[in-house]
Amino acid sequence: MSEKKDFYEALGIKKGASEEEIKKAFRQQAKKYHPDVNPGNTRAEARFKEINEAYEILSDPDKKSRYDQFGHAGVDPGFGAGGGGGPFRGGFGGFGGMDFDLGDIFGSIFGGGGGGRTQNRNAPRKGERVRAVLTVTFEEAAFGCEKDVSIQRIESCDDCAGSGCKKGTTAEKCAGCGGSGVVTTQQRTPFGVMQSSADCPKCNGRGKIIHQPCDKCRGLGMVRRNRTIKVNIPAGIDDGQTISLRGQGSSGINGGEAGDLFVTVAISRHEQFKREGTSVLLSMPISFVQAALGAELEVPTLDGKVKYSIPAGTQTGTMFRLKNKGIQNLRGSGRGDQYVTVNITVPTTLKNEQKELLMQFAEFDGDTSGLKKKKRK
């Protein structure tokens, strides 16, 4: 197995980056390597999974703290809870490893004697969060829509209902740990009595012994599945914002509630429009004649074309506003405005008659300096 890439390096940021820097880096990398943008590109798909895994850890303050202190071992699913990763490394806890109860150790050193606090491996635990990136069009983000997002999540095995046992069989409660999955030992040291807890060697920390494991999940009680989830995209959502779907993440362990699904929205670039908050920006070319004489323009908007009259003498770079033609306010009522900037275009080729008329215009205006005059026939 190849060594895992550093999560900070995966997102292209330095250790100690702020929450906003982590989020910004994730958005940029996810949009670049998203499968929709790179269809059939296996390297981009692998990179996209790597980016998602890095963000899953670094966006969680607790996991980020453990990763900063212990590296990849600190965010192993079994870290501090007797996990070795197993075939679902990165999805949910496995078995093996050792856990020292620091509260008991310091209690022993400073006269507390230790209370034997250990984590119950069989206590209900909430399922892991699942993250996904969903690409929508400019219009879909503006008006809202319903989209399907494909995810992978860990679910309870259907064949054994999560027990890990073959149909018609049950697990035996481990006699070595009494079903807790943990055995505690004490050792006298010059500093006092040191107490440590470790996974029960008889049941590998599960608290039960499965004599006939389920064929489908191999006794783990959980399987990884591909799912398609419908997501309601609210009108006005902006690029990089995340939608939370409660209970649509991985299944809980030992009867715990399911985790949540977090869908980050990526908005495709539009050919004409740009966005700033709830405002829509449009750059529109007009001719010299339209600018000089004034004209009624047909202006593209999200709602279709609308007519707008510009006055005579309009200068290039002039901006005008179309009220309520912008983006829906995500957290309130009403829409923003559309701002249209006109730019005067200069023709690259002219017929002789057009050149003659322009020269006459220049002579009438009294400004022919630098112009090459042609002899009139």
Side-chain angles (χ1 to χ4, degrees), residues 227-259:
R227 292 292 187 190
T228 299
I229 308 296
K230 287 194 177 296
V231 183
N232 287 316
I233 307 298
I237 196 164
D238 207 347
D239 186 65
Q241 290 185 319
T242 299
I243 301 169
S244 173
L245 282 75
R246 188 183 179 109
Q248 291 293 345
S250 291
S251 297
I253 300 172
N254 300 325
E257 64 177 311

Side-chain angles (χ1 to χ4, degrees), residues 48-67:
F48 182 70
K49 291 179 180 179
E50 186 179 76
I51 292 163
N52 270 279
E53 184 182 8
Y55 186 64
E56 168 71 21
I57 298 303
L58 299 183
S59 64
D60 186 306
D62 180 55
K63 291 181 181 179
K64 180 176 179 293
S65 176
R66 285 189 274 124
Y67 177 71

Side-chain angles (χ1 to χ4, degrees), residues 43-104:
R43 293 183 65 181
E45 183 180 354
R47 184 80 175 89
F48 182 70
K49 291 179 180 179
E50 186 179 76
I51 292 163
N52 270 279
E53 184 182 8
Y55 186 64
E56 168 71 21
I57 298 303
L58 299 183
S59 64
D60 186 306
D62 180 55
K63 291 181 181 179
K64 180 176 179 293
S65 176
R66 285 189 274 124
Y67 177 71
D68 289 344
Q69 187 174 2
F70 301 105
H72 288 288
V75 291
D76 187 285
F79 179 80
F88 296 105
R89 187 177 183 86
F92 59 96
F95 319 107
M98 180 172 286
D99 172 34
F100 286 92
D101 192 326
L102 297 180
D104 292 338

Side-chain angles (χ1 to χ4, degrees), residues 24-45:
K24 182 179 179 181
F26 169 70
R27 292 174 184 170
Q28 293 173 341
Q29 296 284 351
K31 287 176 69 175
K32 182 178 180 181
Y33 293 102
H34 193 277
D36 289 348
V37 183
N38 304 274
N41 189 329
T42 55
R43 293 183 65 181
E45 183 180 354

Side-chain angles (χ1 to χ4, degrees), residues 317-362:
T318 299
M319 178 185 289
F320 59 87
R321 181 177 69 164
L322 299 176
K323 294 187 67 175
N324 300 320
K325 292 298 181 182
I327 305 292
Q328 172 71 39
N329 192 325
L330 185 62
R331 295 179 176 83
S333 58
R335 291 172 63 176
D337 303 325
Q338 177 170 321
Y339 294 89
V340 182
T341 302
V342 293
N343 294 298
I344 300 173
T345 58
V346 178
T348 55
T349 57
L350 291 172
K351 295 179 181 179
N352 289 332
E353 292 84 352
Q354 292 173 312
K355 293 178 181 179
E356 180 66 26
L357 288 171
L358 284 174
M359 185 60 71
Q360 291 178 28
F361 175 80

